[in-house]
Amino acid sequence: MKPAIDTKKIVVLSGAGISAESGIPTFRDSGGLWHQHDLREVATPEGWARNPQLVLDFYNERRAVAAAAEPNAAHLALAALEQRFDVVILTQNIDDLHERAGSTNVIHLHGELAWARGTSAKRLRRRIDAAPIMLGDLCEDGSQLRPDIVWFGEPVERMDAACAEILTASKFLVVGTSLTVFPVASLVKKARWHAEKVLCALDVERRPAGYTLLRGAAGKIVPGLVQRWLADAPR
Ligand code: APR
């Protein structure tokens, strides 16, 4: 028996596109990160084993770019939704722009730049904010620190939590993602048939069944959608 949906609950799934207008590069757009770097070298356990310095340099650079960025109108609008709704942000992004915009319930499915973790089985985490990680920076258990990021081939631990949140959402917004990386991309199918489902994207090869497509930049589209949702919010 599926749980009832909650008319006050909104879940958002965001990707790199929501941070593009804040100056943080996406991955697969022209000029994106995976056009500039070989993801096998900088975002896989094998790449880390081959050349940890290259991996640390890649994420130290991205951490500096993210720290210098500011939340944009899309992040701020989603934070404003919390005035009238219970909002859960499921993000593939490793920047903290949702939190800095004021969102209070953010689940980072692919990890966070602001955290590092040890490389032993204990996986002890440490908050580093915008600080770089250097070779020789050790965790309490003596293991080398690494970015607390989910690399390709590593498990996405919070998928069950993400699915559970979507199951009771009365509205589900998918914004700024190419929906090409699994398992997270499979979340579009988890929303209930009678929930309101919206996809905000620049270019869409295929619109998932049951979704309303709002084509355009997140910073332009999301504030208008949020305004409408707030105006129609249940009393
Ligand atoms: N507004 C809305 N969408 C935008 C904007 C914008 N201003 N700019 C770009 N986009 C769209 C692009 O058209 C593209 O569909 O955002 C999407 C970004 O897609 P990707 O670069 O593939 O980023 P994402 O979907 O978040 O990647 C998922 O892949 O490499 C891994 O772990 C990494 O979390 C990342 C995952």
Side-chain angles (χ1 to χ4, degrees):
M1 176 72 174
K2 287 186 177 177
I5 68 172
D6 174 351
T7 55
K8 283 200 57 143
K9 184 163 181 185
I10 296 180
V11 175
V12 179
L13 172 63
S14 67
I18 199 171
S19 296
E21 290 157 273
S22 296
I24 297 181
T26 64
F27 295 94
R28 295 173 182 84
D29 291 316
S30 58
L33 286 167
W34 296 151
H35 296 287
Q36 299 167 38
H37 301 271
D38 179 347
L39 68 83
R40 294 165 302 180
E41 296 307 316
V42 294
T44 62
E46 297 75 14
W48 171 259
R50 266 192 301 277
N51 185 345
Q53 187 61 63
L54 183 68
V55 176
L56 291 176
D57 292 346
F58 175 71
Y59 284 99
N60 289 342
E61 162 66 18
R62 294 184 61 198
R63 193 172 301 106
V65 169
E70 290 297 328
N72 63 56
H75 298 104
L76 294 166
L78 294 178
L81 266 180
E82 294 189 13
Q83 295 160 23
R84 305 294 303 278
F85 291 95
D86 300 328
V87 183
V88 178
I89 308 272
L90 308 173
T91 188
Q92 299 171 90
N93 299 342
I94 56 179
D95 63 61
D96 61 352
L97 294 184
H98 281 300
E99 292 91 337
R100 285 166 52 200
S103 289
T104 60
N105 192 349
V106 182
I107 296 178
H108 286 270
L109 296 168
H110 288 162
E112 298 176 73
L113 283 168
W115 288 79
R117 70 172 171 85
T119 38
S120 75
K122 291 184 203 149
R123 297 187 49 156
L124 300 175
R125 295 181 84 212
R126 175 192 301 179
R127 190 172 181 99
I128 56 171
D129 294 312
I133 304 175
M134 315 306 274
L135 271 185
D137 287 350
L138 303 183
C139 179
E140 295 87 278
D141 64 7
S143 64
Q144 169 65 46
L145 282 177
R146 58 161 274 186
D148 191 18
I149 304 280
V150 179
W151 288 333
F152 289 94
E154 294 185 321
V156 177
E157 256 114 24
R158 311 263 327 249
M159 278 299 286
D160 290 347
C163 293
E165 296 292 358
I166 296 169
L167 212 49
T168 56
S170 62
K171 300 179 189 306
F172 184 41
L173 166 63
V174 177
V175 49
T177 176
S178 58
L179 292 174
T180 50
V181 175
F182 289 79
V184 172
S186 65
L187 292 175
V188 290
K189 293 191 170 27
K190 301 294 182 191
R192 306 289 280 278
W193 67 271
H194 49 312
E196 182 180 358
K197 297 174 281 293
V198 178
L199 173 67
C200 168
L202 281 183
D203 50 6
V204 184
E205 272 94 57
R206 47 177 179 69
R207 178 170 53 86
Y211 281 73
T212 302
L213 171 62
L214 300 180
R215 192 187 296 276
K220 312 258 174 323
I221 297 288
V222 174
L225 174 67
V226 163
Q227 213 166 14
R228 176 162 67 77
W229 280 352
L230 286 172
D232 300 344
R235 294 281 162 212

